[in-house]
């Protein structure tokens, strides 16, 4: 009697499948079991795929691929369906891949048997793979494990996730991850052991008679279902492993991108047979674990590189400057390699003053960081030579223009040699007087916070960003900080991050700046937290295209003397002949200064007089106007004094304009609206001033 006849008598059929052609061969019994006529047949795999339940076909595909990878037997149950999709029987398949010699290709023939199996009872159906319950739990586990490992951002997190995995039906009680360094095998992390238990395995040669070392050497997993199997295969290291009280072990290589990076050990206190399904789960977890460790290692290396680069480029503020307090922060927020072009600096100057610098090189990449480092060094060099702020920025613009080739682009706009620009604000501060001479290159204006907590954007003259023109001009603006006043310099990331523009970003920051804070370090932290912390996700701006830019912020405060004198406010502004639009800026600045003045009509009067005085200087003289406004005294009894000076010696005189005259009313208005006013000749030029009193009794306020 032939073998086929013997197998058919016990309901078993033979089949084979060729990987090169995709052809399947059934004997008569196997053909009958899959719903074909009971006769030997050869056909393509696609022709018989419809005979199997779709879910089981996908399951078998995975089992077969696993068997091919490990050279083991593939075993699975499959449901056979008729033309209407009704299940007619359940069969069990056992197959073995046999390699076929094929030059340059990996070909094989899968040879196996099919057997008819009894229909499971209702009580046991839930425990069989055919019902899909175990399969679904396994798939759910793998999905959860993959998601958790993908979200782990560090090696420590990956090991913690691996230690918390609860595998369906055979969870290990101890895990260890081994890494390869040269020809040594080292423990990267472990779970389920006491501290110190890993010492015998911490560092060993790769040729050690140990399962993890063999898994790394061969790239094949090692399954030890019993202590006897361990003791027989690895007698040298068995005494070290016997003390852990485990019954089964699995050692799997960790392979990523074709490179074996280590091994993973899963130990069990109960016996595990390591069936094909269990091996498939362990192999899949090992692959995900290798990928997660590779990502985490790359991310940690990247973070360390970027942090080291930023630490090397970012200066320390050094010792404190008498009379001034300074705090600074830099936060990379753009993602990717955490380096960018934002920076800040504080430079001691030869004249005893200090220079505060803050800037932002275009881009968020390594090149931007490199340019930032070069530009920062150049600025330091120009400042140390004793140049004024405008001269420092002019030289820096010429330097950056030559460095990036603004006039000779060799690539496209975004190529590696494309021109880059940088915004920058340079302020030379005098600790004794509180004056800051500010030059600005396309950078956001500074913000001045008065002693009573009012935050005002201090408009300053500015020029083009650095690097756009070789010979750009950068006018200087003088800002005077009174005792106790604070100035904040920042890059646009502090304002625009989170979908904001300059207007909405300023609205978001203003309440924080006006909150009374004595410690500048705390103020700097609060500003960053408001933009980059958890609360920032609930205060997003109106822009759909959310910008996530680096943040640099520099805060300086002039220390106030310890006295009982009431705090005052002071504002100064130069109105150039070439910039008549700054008359409007002076009106707005005066309104900001008088934000809490008791009488609104007095504020309107003061704004009108300032506008008239500044306009007269621009119309009747050839020089610039310097406007200084100062508020002093206790609230409710304060005095406003505004002085507008110019370089002309011609004194104004009161005129009597007719009804249709378009000028000549300046002094008439001051006489009507001001509590006091006057014209003071000076050595060079003159000054016109007026005073307004919050109280109806000006004598009650000290002069």
């Amino acid at each position: 009697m032939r073998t086929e006849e013997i197998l058919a008598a016990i309901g078993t059929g033979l089949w084979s499948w060729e990987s090169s052609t995709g052809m399947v061969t059934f004997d008569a019994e196997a053909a009958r079991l899959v719903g074909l006529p009971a006769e030997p047949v050869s056909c393509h795999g696609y022709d018989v795929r419809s005979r199997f339940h779709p879910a089981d076909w996908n399951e078998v595909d995975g089992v077969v691929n696993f068997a091919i990878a490990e050279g083991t037997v593939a075993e699975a149950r499959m449901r056979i369906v008729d033309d209407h999709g009704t299940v007619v029987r359940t069969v069990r398949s056992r197959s073995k891949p046999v390699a076929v010699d094929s030059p340059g290709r990996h070909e094989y023939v899968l040879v196996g048997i099919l057997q008819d199996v009894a229909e499971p009872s209702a009580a046991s159906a839930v425990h069989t793979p055919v019902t899909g319950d175990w399969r679904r739990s396994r798939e759910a586990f793998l999905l959860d494990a993959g998601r958790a490992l993908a979200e782990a951002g560090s090696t420590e997190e990956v090991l913690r996730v691996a230690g918390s995995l609860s595998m369906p039906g055979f969870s290990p009680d101890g895990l260890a991850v081994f890494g390869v360094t040269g020809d040594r095998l080292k423990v990267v992390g472990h779970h389920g052991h006491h501290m110190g238990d890993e010492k015998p395995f911490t560092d060993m040669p790769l040729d050690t008679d140990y399962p993890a070392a063999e898994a790394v050497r061969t790239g094949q997993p090692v399954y030890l279902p019993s202590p006897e199997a361990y003791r027989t295969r690895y007698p040298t290291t068995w005494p070290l492993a016997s003390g852990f009280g485990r019954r089964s072990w699995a050692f799997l290589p960790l392979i990523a991108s074709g490179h074996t990076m280590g091994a993973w050990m899963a130990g069990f206190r109960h016996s595990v047979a390591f069936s094909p399904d269990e091996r498939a789960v362990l192999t899949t977890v090992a692959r995900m674990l290798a990928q997660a460790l590779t990502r985490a290692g790359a991310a940690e290396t990247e973070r360390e590189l970027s942090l080291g680069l930023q630490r090397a480029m970012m200066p320390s503020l050094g010792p404190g400057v008498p009379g001034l307090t300074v705090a600074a922060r830099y936060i990379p927020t753009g993602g990717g390699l955490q380096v960018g072009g934002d920076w800040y600096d504080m430079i001691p100057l030869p004249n005893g003053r200090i220079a505060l610098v803050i800037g932002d090189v275009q881009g968020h990449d390594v090149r931007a960081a490199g340019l930032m480092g070069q530009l920062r060094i150049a600025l330091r060099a120009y400042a140390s030579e004793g140049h004024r702020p405008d001269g420092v920025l002019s030289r820096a613009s010429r330097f950056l223009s030559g460095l990036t080739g603004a006039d000779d682009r060799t690539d496209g706009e975004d190529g590696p040699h494309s021109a880059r620009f940088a915004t920058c604000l340079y302020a030379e501060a005098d600790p004794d007087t509180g004056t800051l001479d500010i030059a600005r290159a396309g950078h956001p204006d500074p913000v001045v916070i008065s002693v009573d907590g009012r935050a005002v954007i201090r408009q300053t003259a500015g020029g083009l960003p650095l690097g756009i023109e070789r010979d750009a001009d950068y006018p200087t603006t003088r800002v005077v900080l009174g005792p106790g006043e604070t100035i904040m310099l920042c890059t646009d990331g502090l304002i625009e991050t989170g979908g904001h523009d300059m207007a909405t970003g300023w609205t978001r920051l203003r309440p924080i700046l006006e909150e009374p804070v004595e410690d500048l370090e705390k103020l700097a932290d609060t500003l960053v937290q408001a933009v980059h912390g958890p609360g920032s996700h609930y205060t997003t701006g109106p822009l759909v295209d959310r910008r996530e830019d680096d943040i640099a912020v520099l805060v300086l405060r002039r220390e106030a003397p310890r006295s009982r004198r009431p705090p005052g406010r002071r504002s100064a502004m130069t109105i150039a002949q070439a910039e008549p639009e700054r008359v409007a800026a002076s009106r707005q600045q005066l309104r900001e200064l008088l934000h809490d003045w008791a009488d609104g009509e007095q504020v309107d009067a003061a704004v009108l007089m300032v506008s008239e005085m500044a306009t007269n200087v621009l119309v009747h003289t050839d020089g610039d106007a310097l406007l200084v406004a100062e508020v002093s005294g206790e609230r409710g009894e304060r005095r406003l004094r505004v002085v507008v000076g110019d370089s002309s010696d011609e004194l104004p005189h009161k005129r009597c304009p007719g009804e249709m005259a378009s000028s000549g009313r300046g002094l008439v208005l001051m006489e009507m609206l001001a509590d006091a006013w006057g014209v003071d000749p000076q050595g060079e030029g003159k000054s016109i001033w007026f005073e307004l009193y919050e109280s109806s009794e000006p004598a009650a306020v000290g002069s």
Side-chain angles (χ1 to χ4, degrees):
M1 182 177 290
R2 295 186 306 168
T3 303
E4 291 84 349
E5 295 174 350
I6 297 174
L7 292 175
I10 59 174
T12 302
L14 294 174
W15 66 277
S16 65
W17 178 73
E18 297 181 9
S19 65
S20 59
T21 63
M23 297 300 293
V24 183
T25 301
F26 295 102
D27 67 4
E29 180 62 17
R32 183 190 69 81
L33 290 174
V34 298
L36 298 174
E39 58 186 26
V41 64
S42 293
C43 58
H44 200 277
Y46 291 114
D47 297 331
V48 296
R49 182 170 181 172
S50 61
R51 298 290 176 179
F52 297 91
H53 194 283
D56 297 342
W57 179 271
N58 294 332
E59 176 70 18
V60 170
D61 186 57
V63 171
V64 169
N65 289 333
F66 177 74
I68 293 170
E70 292 204 347
T72 59
V73 174
E75 181 175 354
R77 291 189 178 190
M78 297 176 290
R79 288 166 288 186
I80 307 300
V81 299
D82 58 17
D83 294 337
H84 303 289
T86 304
V87 177
V88 296
R89 70 174 55 86
T90 300
V91 298
R92 182 177 65 178
S93 170
R94 289 175 58 85
S95 57
K96 175 78 174 180
V98 179
V100 177
D101 292 335
S102 177
R105 301 180 64 184
H106 180 62
E107 304 291 354
Y108 56 88
V109 175
L110 203 62
V111 180
I113 62 171
L114 284 177
Q115 289 179 309
D116 195 358
V117 297
E119 196 68 30
S121 64
S124 62
V126 294
H127 301 293
T128 64
V130 174
T131 63
D133 287 357
W134 184 88
R135 183 182 305 123
R136 283 192 293 271
S137 65
R138 188 189 74 177
E139 291 174 353
F141 160 74
L142 292 177
L143 285 173
D144 290 340
R147 186 182 303 110
L149 289 171
E151 292 175 354
S154 65
T155 300
E156 183 180 354
E157 291 179 11
V158 171
L159 296 175
R160 186 166 59 249
V161 170
S164 64
L165 296 179
S166 180
M167 300 182 189
F170 64 110
S171 293
D173 78 293
L175 304 171
V177 174
F178 299 86
V180 178
T181 304
D183 60 349
R184 312 289 294 183
L185 191 68
K186 299 184 178 182
V187 175
V188 176
H190 59 89
H191 177 77
H193 306 88
H194 296 294
M195 188 64 66
D197 287 349
E198 78 283 0
K199 285 185 178 179
F201 310 98
T202 299
D203 190 356
M204 65 184 79
L206 274 178
D207 58 1
T208 302
D209 185 29
Y210 182 64
E214 180 176 330
V216 172
R217 290 195 306 267
T218 64
Q220 296 295 324
V222 176
Y223 298 105
L224 303 171
S226 65
E228 292 74 19
Y230 198 129
R231 183 170 53 249
T232 301
R233 289 186 62 177
Y234 305 98
T236 303
T237 54
W238 165 247
L240 299 176
S242 60
F244 291 94
R246 298 197 173 99
R247 304 294 300 172
S248 299
W249 300 260
F251 293 84
L252 296 100
L254 297 175
I255 302 175
S257 302
H259 171 67
T260 303
M261 53 180 292
W264 173 47
M265 185 277 290
F268 303 84
R269 290 195 177 275
H270 57 280
S271 296
V272 179
F274 297 116
S275 67
D277 288 322
E278 292 167 339
R279 295 187 181 195
V281 171
L282 290 168
T283 301
T284 304
V285 173
R287 291 172 181 169
M288 293 190 297
L289 184 58
Q291 294 293 334
L293 287 171
T294 301
R295 287 193 302 269
E300 289 172 346
T301 301
E302 187 178 273
R303 283 195 295 269
E304 185 62 29
L305 172 64
S306 62
L307 289 175
L309 181 61
Q310 288 296 158
R311 280 195 297 267
M313 290 185 173
M314 281 296 160
S316 62
L317 295 181
V321 179
L324 300 177
T325 305
V326 184
R329 294 291 184 273
Y330 170 75
I331 304 294
T333 64
L337 188 63
Q338 297 292 294
V339 294
D342 291 29
W343 89 96
Y344 63 83
D345 206 350
M346 187 171 78
I347 309 169
L349 300 178
N351 56 10
R353 299 183 177 186
I354 63 167
L356 302 175
V357 187
I358 191 164
D360 180 6
V361 176
Q362 175 195 11
H364 190 279
D365 51 23
V366 175
R367 184 165 182 252
L371 290 174
M372 176 268 287
Q374 293 173 289
L375 184 58
R376 186 174 72 85
I377 293 172
L379 283 163
R380 273 185 162 264
Y382 298 142
S384 299
E385 289 175 354
H387 299 292
R388 295 289 295 163
D390 54 345
V392 171
L393 289 192
S394 295
R395 287 167 172 78
S397 182
R398 191 177 303 114
F399 170 80
L400 185 60
S401 177
L403 195 65
T404 61
D407 299 331
D408 185 20
R409 302 185 183 186
T410 58
D411 289 327
E413 192 70 25
D414 297 324
H417 302 291
S418 60
R420 301 267 185 125
F421 63 83
T423 66
C424 182
L425 188 149
Y426 182 99
E428 182 178 313
D430 186 344
D432 296 329
T433 63
T435 59
L436 287 91
D437 293 327
I438 298 174
R440 189 169 56 85
H443 203 79
D445 280 305
V447 176
V448 175
I449 309 167
S450 62
V451 179
D452 62 354
R454 184 66 173 179
V456 179
I457 296 177
R458 180 62 167 87
Q459 296 184 358
T460 57
L464 293 172
L466 304 178
I468 292 182
E469 288 187 2
R470 290 182 180 272
D471 299 317
D473 183 41
Y474 297 97
T476 302
T477 302
R478 173 162 290 187
V479 175
V480 181
L481 288 184
E485 289 188 330
T486 304
I487 189 169
M488 183 202 73
L489 316 176
C490 68
T491 57
D492 57 358
L494 186 71
I495 303 172
E496 296 181 340
T497 292
H500 288 273
D501 55 20
M502 282 292 178
T504 62
W506 165 240
T507 302
R508 172 178 56 171
L509 290 177
R510 186 169 187 170
I512 301 165
L513 292 168
E514 294 182 344
E515 189 72 22
V517 177
E518 292 295 331
D519 187 2
L520 282 193
E521 298 290 340
K522 184 178 179 181
L523 174 60
D525 289 334
T526 304
L527 287 169
V528 172
Q529 282 294 317
V531 175
H532 189 50
S536 64
H537 300 292
Y538 305 102
T539 57
T540 55
L543 303 182
V544 176
D545 182 18
R546 291 172 54 106
R547 287 192 56 195
E548 302 298 333
D549 201 358
D550 291 352
I551 296 171
V553 58
L554 189 61
V555 190
L556 177 140
R557 176 177 293 164
R558 184 184 179 190
E559 295 177 359
R562 297 184 178 180
S563 66
R564 295 185 177 181
R565 289 186 59 189
R569 304 178 199 163
R570 190 174 186 274
S571 178
M573 174 183 289
T574 300
I575 304 173
Q577 285 283 339
E579 298 176 340
E581 66 275 6
R582 290 183 65 80
V583 174
S586 68
R587 293 197 295 264
Q588 179 61 30
Q589 191 164 313
L590 185 61
R591 286 192 180 276
E592 294 280 1
L593 192 71
L594 302 176
H595 68 94
D596 58 350
W597 196 265
D599 189 348
E601 292 185 358
Q602 279 191 316
V603 175
D604 293 337
V607 169
L608 178 60
M609 287 187 286
V610 163
S611 181
E612 185 71 21
M613 293 162 64
T615 302
N616 282 341
V617 172
L618 297 182
V619 171
H620 298 295
T621 70
D622 296 328
D624 300 338
L626 175 62
L627 185 150
V628 179
E630 186 174 10
V631 177
S632 60
E634 296 285 353
R635 185 166 184 173
E637 297 182 347
R638 290 174 292 187
R639 180 189 68 180
L640 168 66
R641 181 178 177 85
V642 177
V643 180
V644 176
D646 62 77
S647 58
S648 173
D649 293 329
E650 182 180 350
L651 298 179
H653 56 276
K654 187 176 177 181
R655 291 185 285 174
C656 299
E659 293 184 1
M660 304 300 293
S662 59
S663 62
R665 296 184 174 86
L667 298 184
V668 176
L669 284 174
M670 293 178 63
E671 189 172 67
M672 293 174 58
L673 300 176
D675 290 319
W677 68 279
V679 179
D680 295 337
Q682 296 177 342
E684 292 184 0
K686 63 180 180 301
S687 64
I688 306 173
W689 58 270
F690 72 84
E691 293 180 352
L692 288 177
Y693 306 109
E694 239 182 340
S695 171
S696 58
E697 296 292 335
V701 182
S703 59

